[in-house]
Amino acid sequence: MTGTLSHDAGSARPRTIALLRHVETAAQYSGCLIGSTDLPLAPEGRLKASLLAPRLAWERPSRLYCSPLLRARETAESLGEALGMTPVIDLDLREINFGRWEGMTFDAIQASDPEAVARWARLEPDFAFPGGESVEVFLARIRRAAKRLAECEGPSVLAVTHGGVIRAMICHLLGLSPRRYVLFDVRPASLTKIAIYDGSGVLTGLSDPFLAGGE
């Protein structure tokens, strides 16, 4: 299934948008909602990130973008050192802000506020995480980021970002309802690729694992 973008970029649009989820953070945060909380990588994370470079070199990215959050920046900086590239920070690539739900497990949130969880599950456009970001604002910046990536020169562009961002961008570029984001399992240190053909997106790789393990 394909989606469409504006045709302003013409032939300057890359053939492939490669989306890498950052390497895992500390195991104690596994199973918790971590969005705007600015966590570093796990102690071994920078080494793992550097091990991604040989495989990513085959993608031949023309530019390397990353989220401003530390876990994505550290991953991108390790890649950049190995690939000889300087990451460009894109504020729109940051993960959604879960507000007061940051650091909580889904079960704990479900028990404390089931009505809000139900609205989140329906992805109502006016839903906002308590004290955090609204779905509408999040999806708007995903659209902006996708447009910039699609208009970048060269055969491919690489962005180091977050699971929620990648799932939302898949839906946008393939023309799917944002509610379909739950269909995509995007693991840490995995690569998702979307080919752009004359404004249409085609999913060519989903959560391709580079390293074993990690949540």
Side-chain angles (χ1 to χ4, degrees), residues 21-167:
R21 186 177 176 187
H22 61 80
V23 177
E24 68 265 27
T25 56
Q28 69 196 73
Y29 301 107
S30 179
C32 299
L33 295 187
I34 302 296
S36 63
T37 304
D38 207 8
L39 299 177
L41 296 178
E44 69 278 10
R46 290 185 69 85
L47 173 60
K48 287 189 174 183
S50 69
L51 296 176
L52 301 176
R55 286 197 62 185
L56 286 169
W58 289 99
E59 300 296 327
R60 301 182 185 275
S62 56
R63 305 269 322 252
L64 171 61
Y65 290 90
C66 72
S67 156
L69 295 175
L70 186 58
R71 56 196 185 272
R73 290 201 334 262
E74 289 184 339
T75 301
E77 286 165 3
S78 291
L79 288 174
E81 290 174 4
L83 296 173
M85 305 180 72
T86 300
V88 177
I89 292 176
D90 187 330
L91 297 179
D92 286 332
L93 289 174
R94 68 192 185 278
E95 184 59 285
I96 198 165
N97 183 349
F98 292 111
R100 293 193 295 273
W101 291 358
E102 290 276 339
M104 297 177 64
T105 65
F106 180 81
D107 288 345
I109 296 165
Q110 174 70 42
S112 65
D113 199 346
E115 183 177 348
V117 169
R119 293 189 64 214
W120 177 23
R122 293 192 296 270
L123 213 65
E124 297 178 4
D126 61 345
F127 172 75
F129 294 95
E133 192 171 10
S134 74
V135 168
E136 183 178 14
V137 168
F138 173 68
L139 293 177
R141 60 181 174 85
I142 294 302
R143 292 192 293 270
R144 292 195 301 266
K147 187 174 187 296
R148 282 194 291 274
L149 294 177
E151 292 179 351
C152 185
E153 294 183 358
S156 69
V157 60
L158 173 63
V160 181
T161 183
H162 309 271
V165 172
I166 294 172
R167 288 190 288 267

